[in-house]
Amino acid sequence: MIQCHYEDQDMLILEKPAEMLSVPGRGEDKQDCLWSRAVEQWPDALIVHRLDCSTSGLMVLARSKMTHRELSIQFQNRIPFKRYTALVSGVMTQADGWVEQPLRCDWDRRPLQIIDHEQGKHALTFYRNRGQELINGHTATRLSLYPITGRSHQLRVHCQFLGQPILGDNLYAEGEALTCSDRLMLHADLLELHHPISGERLSFSSPAPF
C-alpha cells in the first residue's frame, strides 16, 4: 500500500518507498512501480515528475490531462520548492554552501552521471549542515539539500563532488560509506507547489525514515 499524504479530484501527494521505480522500466521484472500501484487505487493517476529508484519521499501525481499540464509547467519553470534529507559520509565543517557543477550521462557506464564542464548541463544545489551523527559506527553529517535544477542523480553526484558521498549509494559511494547502510540515505521530505486549479500554495512534508 502506497502512503497518501493528500488527495483531491485534481492531484495526489504520494510517498515513494526506497528501491521502487517511479514509472515502469524495461522488462517484465520492472513493471512494479509507484505509478502502477497508484492506478490500482486511482485509475486516473498520471506521473508528473520522478524520483530515483533508490530515493524515497514525496511525489505529486495529476488526475487529469489538464492538471498534468499545469503541474508539468510548474516543474518546467522550477516553481515547486523541494527539499531532501541526506546522510553523507564524514564530517562537514561548513554550515552551508552551494555546489554548481554541470552534469551529463556517462554513456559508457549508464546510468552513472559525471561532471563535465564542456558538455554537461547546468546543475545547482544548495546544502545546509544539520549536524554530525554516528551511523553503524560510521561518522556522518545530516544535510538538507535543495536542488535548484533537477538533473538526474544531481544530489548524489554533487555530494560525491564535495568528497562526502551519500551513505548507501551503490553508484557513487565506496567502502564504509557504501556498506554502513542497506539503503540510499536520501529522502524527499518537503514539497511545496501551487494547486493546479485553485492556485493555492500547498506544502507537504514527510520526515526522513532515518
Side-chain angles (χ1 to χ4, degrees), residues 86-147:
L87 283 172
V88 302
S89 181
V91 174
M92 178 175 285
T93 56
Q94 60 268 42
D96 53 41
W98 297 89
V99 181
E100 188 169 11
Q101 296 292 328
L103 302 175
R104 70 165 176 86
C105 181
D106 185 348
W107 295 108
D108 294 331
R109 299 188 299 157
R110 284 176 290 180
L112 268 69
Q113 306 292 311
I114 57 174
I115 292 171
D116 186 331
H117 290 272
E118 294 183 358
Q119 301 180 18
K121 294 182 179 180
H122 178 245
L124 179 62
T125 302
F126 177 73
Y127 61 89
R128 178 154 288 159
N129 190 329
R130 299 299 186 187
Q132 277 69 60
E133 303 179 24
L134 275 179
I135 305 298
N136 294 325
H138 184 78
T139 302
T141 301
R142 184 173 293 265
L143 298 181
S144 290
L145 298 170
Y146 305 85

Coordinates of all heavy atoms in Angstrom, one line a residue, residues 86-147:
A86 N 19.6 14.1 3.6 CA 20.6 13.1 3.3 C 21.5 12.9 4.4 O 21.8 13.8 5.2 CB 21.4 13.5 2.0
L87 N 22.1 11.7 4.6 CA 23.2 11.4 5.4 C 24.4 11.2 4.6 O 24.4 10.2 3.7 CB 22.9 10.2 6.4 CG 22.0 10.5 7.5 CD1 21.6 9.2 8.2 CD2 22.6 11.5 8.5
V88 N 25.4 12.0 4.7 CA 26.6 11.8 3.9 C 27.8 11.4 4.7 O 27.8 11.6 6.0 CB 26.9 13.2 3.1 CG1 25.8 13.6 2.3 CG2 27.3 14.3 4.1
S89 N 28.8 10.8 4.1 CA 29.9 10.3 4.8 C 30.9 11.4 5.3 O 31.1 12.4 4.6 CB 30.7 9.4 3.9 OG 31.8 8.8 4.5
G90 N 31.3 11.2 6.6 CA 32.3 12.1 7.1 C 31.7 13.4 7.8 O 30.5 13.5 7.9
V91 N 32.6 14.2 8.3 CA 32.3 15.4 9.0 C 32.4 16.6 8.0 O 33.4 16.9 7.4 CB 33.2 15.7 10.2 CG1 32.9 17.0 10.8 CG2 33.1 14.6 11.2
M92 N 31.3 17.3 7.9 CA 31.3 18.6 7.1 C 31.4 19.7 8.0 O 30.7 19.9 9.0 CB 30.0 18.7 6.3 CG 29.9 20.0 5.5 SD 28.4 20.1 4.4 CE 28.9 19.0 3.1
T93 N 32.4 20.5 7.8 CA 32.7 21.6 8.7 C 32.0 22.9 8.4 O 31.6 23.6 9.3 CB 34.2 21.9 8.7 OG1 34.6 22.3 7.4 CG2 35.0 20.8 9.2
Q94 N 31.7 23.2 7.1 CA 31.0 24.4 6.8 C 29.5 24.3 7.1 O 28.9 23.2 7.0 CB 31.2 24.8 5.3 CG 30.7 23.7 4.3 CD 31.8 22.8 3.9 OE1 32.5 22.3 4.8 NE2 31.8 22.4 2.6
A95 N 28.8 25.4 7.5 CA 27.4 25.4 7.9 C 26.5 25.2 6.7 O 25.5 24.4 6.8 CB 27.1 26.7 8.6
D96 N 26.8 25.8 5.6 CA 26.0 25.6 4.4 C 26.8 26.1 3.2 O 27.9 26.6 3.3 CB 24.7 26.4 4.5 CG 24.9 27.9 4.8 OD1 25.8 28.5 4.3 OD2 24.1 28.4 5.6
G97 N 26.3 25.9 2.0 CA 27.0 26.3 0.8 C 26.3 25.9 -0.5 O 25.2 25.3 -0.5
W98 N 27.0 26.1 -1.6 CA 26.4 25.8 -2.9 C 27.4 24.8 -3.7 O 28.6 24.9 -3.5 CB 26.3 27.1 -3.8 CG 25.3 28.1 -3.2 CD1 25.6 29.1 -2.3 CD2 23.9 28.2 -3.5 NE1 24.5 29.8 -2.1 CE2 23.4 29.3 -2.8 CE3 23.1 27.5 -4.4 CZ2 22.1 29.7 -2.9 CZ3 21.8 27.9 -4.4 CH2 21.3 28.9 -3.7
V99 N 26.8 24.0 -4.5 CA 27.5 23.2 -5.5 C 27.0 23.5 -6.8 O 25.8 23.4 -7.1 CB 27.4 21.7 -5.2 CG1 28.3 20.9 -6.3 CG2 27.9 21.3 -3.8
E100 N 27.8 24.0 -7.7 CA 27.4 24.4 -9.1 C 28.4 23.6 -10.0 O 29.5 24.1 -10.3 CB 27.4 25.9 -9.3 CG 26.9 26.3 -10.6 CD 26.7 27.8 -10.8 OE1 27.2 28.5 -9.9 OE2 26.0 28.2 -11.7
Q101 N 28.0 22.4 -10.4 CA 28.8 21.6 -11.3 C 27.9 21.0 -12.4 O 26.9 20.3 -12.1 CB 29.5 20.5 -10.5 CG 30.5 21.0 -9.5 CD 31.7 21.7 -10.1 OE1 32.1 21.3 -11.2 NE2 32.3 22.7 -9.5
P102 N 28.3 21.2 -13.7 CA 27.4 20.7 -14.8 C 27.5 19.2 -14.9 O 28.6 18.6 -14.7 CB 28.0 21.4 -16.0 CG 29.4 21.6 -15.6 CD 29.4 21.9 -14.1
L103 N 26.4 18.6 -15.3 CA 26.3 17.1 -15.3 C 25.9 16.6 -16.7 O 25.1 17.2 -17.4 CB 25.3 16.6 -14.2 CG 25.5 17.0 -12.8 CD1 24.4 16.5 -11.9 CD2 26.8 16.4 -12.3
R104 N 26.3 15.4 -17.0 CA 25.9 14.7 -18.2 C 26.0 13.2 -17.9 O 26.6 12.7 -16.9 CB 26.7 15.0 -19.4 CG 28.1 14.5 -19.4 CD 28.7 14.5 -20.8 NE 30.1 14.1 -20.8 CZ 30.5 12.8 -20.9 NH1 29.6 11.8 -21.0 NH2 31.8 12.5 -20.9
C105 N 25.3 12.4 -18.7 CA 25.3 11.0 -18.5 C 26.7 10.4 -19.0 O 27.3 10.9 -20.0 CB 24.2 10.3 -19.4 SG 24.1 8.5 -19.3
D106 N 27.2 9.5 -18.2 CA 28.4 8.8 -18.6 C 27.9 7.6 -19.5 O 27.6 6.5 -19.0 CB 29.1 8.3 -17.3 CG 30.4 7.6 -17.7 OD1 30.7 7.3 -18.9 OD2 31.2 7.3 -16.7
W107 N 27.9 7.8 -20.8 CA 27.2 6.9 -21.7 C 27.8 5.5 -21.6 O 27.1 4.5 -21.9 CB 27.3 7.4 -23.1 CG 26.5 8.7 -23.3 CD1 27.0 9.9 -23.4 CD2 25.1 8.8 -23.2 NE1 26.0 10.8 -23.5 CE2 24.8 10.2 -23.4 CE3 24.0 7.9 -23.1 CZ2 23.5 10.7 -23.4 CZ3 22.7 8.4 -23.1 CH2 22.5 9.7 -23.2
D108 N 29.1 5.3 -21.3 CA 29.7 4.0 -21.3 C 29.4 3.3 -20.0 O 29.6 2.1 -19.9 CB 31.2 4.1 -21.4 CG 31.7 4.6 -22.8 OD1 30.9 4.4 -23.7 OD2 32.7 5.3 -22.9
R109 N 28.9 4.0 -19.0 CA 28.6 3.4 -17.7 C 27.2 3.8 -17.2 O 27.0 4.0 -16.0 CB 29.6 3.8 -16.6 CG 31.0 3.4 -17.0 CD 32.0 3.7 -15.8 NE 32.0 5.1 -15.5 CZ 32.4 5.6 -14.3 NH1 32.7 4.8 -13.3 NH2 32.4 6.9 -14.1
R110 N 26.3 3.9 -18.1 CA 24.9 4.3 -17.7 C 24.4 3.4 -16.6 O 24.7 2.2 -16.7 CB 24.0 4.2 -19.0 CG 24.1 5.4 -19.9 CD 23.3 5.2 -21.2 NE 23.8 4.1 -22.0 CZ 23.2 3.8 -23.2 NH1 22.1 4.4 -23.6 NH2 23.7 2.8 -23.9
P111 N 23.6 3.9 -15.7 CA 23.0 5.2 -15.6 C 23.9 6.3 -14.9 O 23.4 7.3 -14.5 CB 21.7 5.0 -14.8 CG 22.2 3.9 -13.8 CD 23.1 3.0 -14.6
L112 N 25.2 6.0 -14.7 CA 26.0 7.0 -13.9 C 26.0 8.3 -14.6 O 26.0 8.4 -15.9 CB 27.4 6.5 -13.8 CG 27.7 5.7 -12.5 CD1 27.0 4.3 -12.5 CD2 29.2 5.4 -12.3
Q113 N 26.1 9.4 -13.8 CA 26.3 10.8 -14.3 C 27.6 11.3 -13.9 O 28.2 10.8 -12.8 CB 25.2 11.7 -13.7 CG 23.7 11.2 -13.9 CD 23.3 11.2 -15.4 OE1 23.5 12.2 -16.0 NE2 22.7 10.1 -15.9
I114 N 28.2 12.2 -14.7 CA 29.5 12.7 -14.4 C 29.5 14.2 -14.6 O 28.7 14.8 -15.3 CB 30.6 12.1 -15.3 CG1 30.3 12.3 -16.7 CG2 30.8 10.6 -14.9 CD1 31.4 11.9 -17.7
I115 N 30.5 14.9 -13.9 CA 30.6 16.3 -14.1 C 31.5 16.5 -15.3 O 32.5 15.9 -15.5 CB 31.4 16.9 -12.8 CG1 30.4 16.8 -11.6 CG2 31.8 18.3 -13.1 CD1 31.1 17.1 -10.3
D116 N 30.9 17.4 -16.2 CA 31.6 17.7 -17.5 C 31.4 19.2 -17.8 O 30.3 19.6 -18.0 CB 31.0 16.8 -18.6 CG 31.7 17.0 -19.9 OD1 32.3 18.1 -20.2 OD2 31.7 16.0 -20.7
H117 N 32.5 20.0 -17.7 CA 32.4 21.4 -17.9 C 32.3 21.8 -19.3 O 32.0 23.0 -19.6 CB 33.6 22.1 -17.2 CG 33.5 22.1 -15.7 ND1 32.9 23.0 -15.0 CD2 34.0 21.1 -14.8 CE1 33.0 22.7 -13.7 NE2 33.6 21.6 -13.6
E118 N 32.4 20.9 -20.2 CA 32.3 21.2 -21.7 C 30.9 20.8 -22.2 O 30.3 21.5 -22.9 CB 33.4 20.5 -22.5 CG 34.8 21.0 -22.2 CD 35.8 20.4 -23.0 OE1 35.5 19.5 -23.8 OE2 37.0 20.8 -22.9
Q119 N 30.4 19.6 -21.9 CA 29.2 19.1 -22.4 C 28.0 18.9 -21.4 O 26.9 18.7 -21.8 CB 29.4 17.7 -23.1 CG 30.4 17.8 -24.2 CD 30.6 16.4 -24.8 OE1 29.8 15.5 -24.7 NE2 31.7 16.2 -25.5
G120 N 28.4 19.1 -20.1 CA 27.3 18.9 -19.1 C 26.3 20.1 -19.1 O 26.6 21.2 -19.5
K121 N 25.1 19.7 -18.5 CA 24.1 20.7 -18.3 C 24.2 21.4 -16.9 O 24.6 20.7 -16.0 CB 22.7 20.0 -18.5 CG 22.4 19.5 -19.9 CD 21.1 18.9 -20.0 CE 20.8 18.4 -21.4 NZ 19.4 17.8 -21.5
H122 N 23.8 22.6 -16.9 CA 23.9 23.4 -15.6 C 23.2 22.7 -14.5 O 22.1 22.2 -14.6 CB 23.3 24.8 -15.8 CG 23.4 25.6 -14.6 ND1 22.2 26.0 -14.0 CD2 24.4 26.1 -13.8 CE1 22.5 26.8 -12.9 NE2 23.8 26.8 -12.8
A123 N 23.8 22.5 -13.3 CA 23.3 21.9 -12.2 C 23.7 22.6 -10.9 O 24.9 22.9 -10.7 CB 23.7 20.4 -12.1
L124 N 22.7 23.0 -10.1 CA 23.0 23.8 -8.9 C 22.2 23.3 -7.7 O 21.0 23.0 -7.8 CB 22.5 25.3 -9.2 CG 22.7 26.3 -8.1 CD1 24.1 26.5 -7.7 CD2 22.1 27.6 -8.5
T125 N 22.9 23.1 -6.6 CA 22.4 22.6 -5.4 C 22.8 23.5 -4.2 O 24.0 23.8 -4.1 CB 22.9 21.1 -5.1 OG1 22.5 20.3 -6.2 CG2 22.3 20.6 -3.8
F126 N 21.9 23.8 -3.3 CA 22.2 24.4 -2.1 C 22.1 23.4 -1.0 O 21.2 22.5 -1.0 CB 21.2 25.6 -1.8 CG 21.4 26.2 -0.4 CD1 22.5 27.1 -0.2 CD2 20.6 26.0 0.6 CE1 22.8 27.7 1.0 CE2 20.8 26.7 1.9 CZ 21.9 27.5 2.0
Y127 N 23.0 23.4 0.0 CA 23.0 22.5 1.1 C 23.1 23.2 2.4 O 23.7 24.3 2.5 CB 24.1 21.4 1.0 CG 25.5 21.9 1.0 CD1 26.2 22.1 2.2 CD2 26.2 22.3 -0.2 CE1 27.5 22.6 2.2 CE2 27.5 22.8 -0.2 CZ 28.1 22.9 1.0 OH 29.4 23.4 1.0
R128 N 22.6 22.6 3.5 CA 22.6 23.1 4.8 C 23.0 22.0 5.8 O 22.4 20.9 5.8 CB 21.3 23.7 5.2 CG 21.2 24.3 6.6 CD 20.2 25.4 6.7 NE 20.6 26.6 6.0 CZ 19.8 27.6 5.6 NH1 18.5 27.5 5.8 NH2 20.3 28.6 5.0
N129 N 24.0 22.3 6.6 CA 24.5 21.3 7.6 C 23.6 21.2 8.8 O 23.3 22.2 9.4 CB 25.9 21.8 8.0 CG 26.6 20.7 8.8 OD1 26.1 19.9 9.6 ND2 28.0 20.7 8.7
R130 N 23.1 20.0 9.1 CA 22.2 19.7 10.2 C 22.9 19.0 11.4 O 22.3 18.7 12.4 CB 21.0 18.9 9.8 CG 20.2 19.6 8.7 CD 19.6 20.9 9.2 NE 18.7 21.5 8.2 CZ 18.1 22.7 8.3 NH1 18.4 23.4 9.4 NH2 17.3 23.1 7.4
G131 N 24.3 18.8 11.3 CA 25.0 18.2 12.4 C 25.5 16.8 12.1 O 25.1 16.2 11.1
Q132 N 26.4 16.4 13.0 CA 27.0 15.1 12.9 C 26.3 14.0 13.6 O 25.6 14.2 14.6 CB 28.5 15.1 13.3 CG 29.4 15.7 12.3 CD 29.2 17.2 12.1 OE1 29.3 18.0 13.0 NE2 28.9 17.5 10.8
E133 N 26.4 12.7 13.1 CA 25.8 11.6 13.7 C 26.7 10.4 13.5 O 27.6 10.4 12.6 CB 24.4 11.3 13.0 CG 23.4 12.4 13.1 CD 22.1 12.1 12.4 OE1 21.8 10.9 12.3 OE2 21.4 13.0 12.0
L134 N 26.5 9.3 14.3 CA 27.1 8.0 14.0 C 26.1 7.1 13.5 O 25.1 6.8 14.0 CB 27.7 7.5 15.3 CG 29.1 7.9 15.8 CD1 29.5 7.3 17.1 CD2 30.2 7.6 14.7
I135 N 26.5 6.5 12.3 CA 25.6 5.5 11.6 C 26.3 4.2 11.6 O 27.3 4.0 10.8 CB 25.2 6.0 10.2 CG1 24.5 7.4 10.3 CG2 24.2 5.0 9.6 CD1 23.3 7.5 11.1
N136 N 25.9 3.2 12.4 CA 26.6 1.9 12.4 C 28.1 2.1 12.6 O 28.9 1.4 11.9 CB 26.3 1.1 11.2 CG 24.8 0.7 11.1 OD1 24.2 0.5 12.1 ND2 24.3 0.7 9.9
G137 N 28.5 3.0 13.5 CA 29.9 3.3 13.8 C 30.6 4.2 12.8 O 31.8 4.4 12.9
H138 N 29.9 4.6 11.8 CA 30.5 5.5 10.7 C 30.1 6.9 11.0 O 28.9 7.2 11.1 CB 30.0 5.0 9.3 CG 30.7 5.7 8.2 ND1 32.0 5.5 7.8 CD2 30.2 6.7 7.4 CE1 32.3 6.3 6.8 NE2 31.2 7.1 6.5
T139 N 31.0 7.8 11.0 CA 30.7 9.3 11.2 C 30.1 9.8 9.9 O 30.6 9.7 8.8 CB 32.0 10.1 11.5 OG1 32.6 9.5 12.6 CG2 31.7 11.5 11.7
A140 N 28.9 10.5 10.2 CA 28.2 11.0 9.1 C 27.7 12.4 9.4 O 27.7 12.9 10.5 CB 27.0 10.1 8.7
T141 N 27.3 13.2 8.4 CA 26.7 14.5 8.5 C 25.3 14.5 7.9 O 25.1 14.0 6.8 CB 27.6 15.6 7.8 OG1 28.9 15.6 8.4 CG2 26.9 17.0 8.0
R142 N 24.3 15.0 8.6 CA 23.0 15.1 8.1 C 22.9 16.5 7.4 O 23.2 17.5 7.9 CB 21.9 15.1 9.2 CG 20.5 15.1 8.8 CD 19.5 14.8 9.9 NE 19.7 13.5 10.4 CZ 18.9 12.4 10.0 NH1 17.9 12.6 9.1 NH2 19.1 11.2 10.5
L143 N 22.4 16.4 6.1 CA 22.3 17.6 5.3 C 20.8 17.8 4.9 O 20.1 16.8 4.7 CB 23.1 17.5 4.0 CG 24.6 17.4 4.2 CD1 25.2 17.3 2.8 CD2 25.2 18.6 5.0
S144 N 20.4 19.0 4.8 CA 19.2 19.4 4.0 C 19.7 19.8 2.6 O 20.6 20.7 2.5 CB 18.4 20.5 4.6 OG 17.8 20.1 5.8
L145 N 19.2 19.2 1.6 CA 19.6 19.5 0.2 C 18.5 20.2 -0.6 O 17.3 19.7 -0.5 CB 20.1 18.2 -0.5 CG 21.2 17.5 0.1 CD1 21.4 16.1 -0.5 CD2 22.5 18.3 0.0
Y146 N 18.8 21.2 -1.3 CA 17.8 22.0 -2.1 C 18.2 22.0 -3.5 O 19.1 22.9 -3.9 CB 17.7 23.4 -1.5 CG 17.3 23.5 0.0 CD1 18.4 23.4 0.9 CD2 16.0 23.6 0.4 CE1 18.1 23.5 2.3 CE2 15.7 23.6 1.8 CZ 16.8 23.6 2.7 OH 16.5 23.6 4.1
P147 N 17.7 21.2 -4.4 CA 18.1 21.2 -5.8 C 17.4 22.4 -6.5 O 16.2 22.4 -6.6 CB 17.6 19.9 -6.3 CG 16.4 19.5 -5.4 CD 16.7 20.1 -4.1

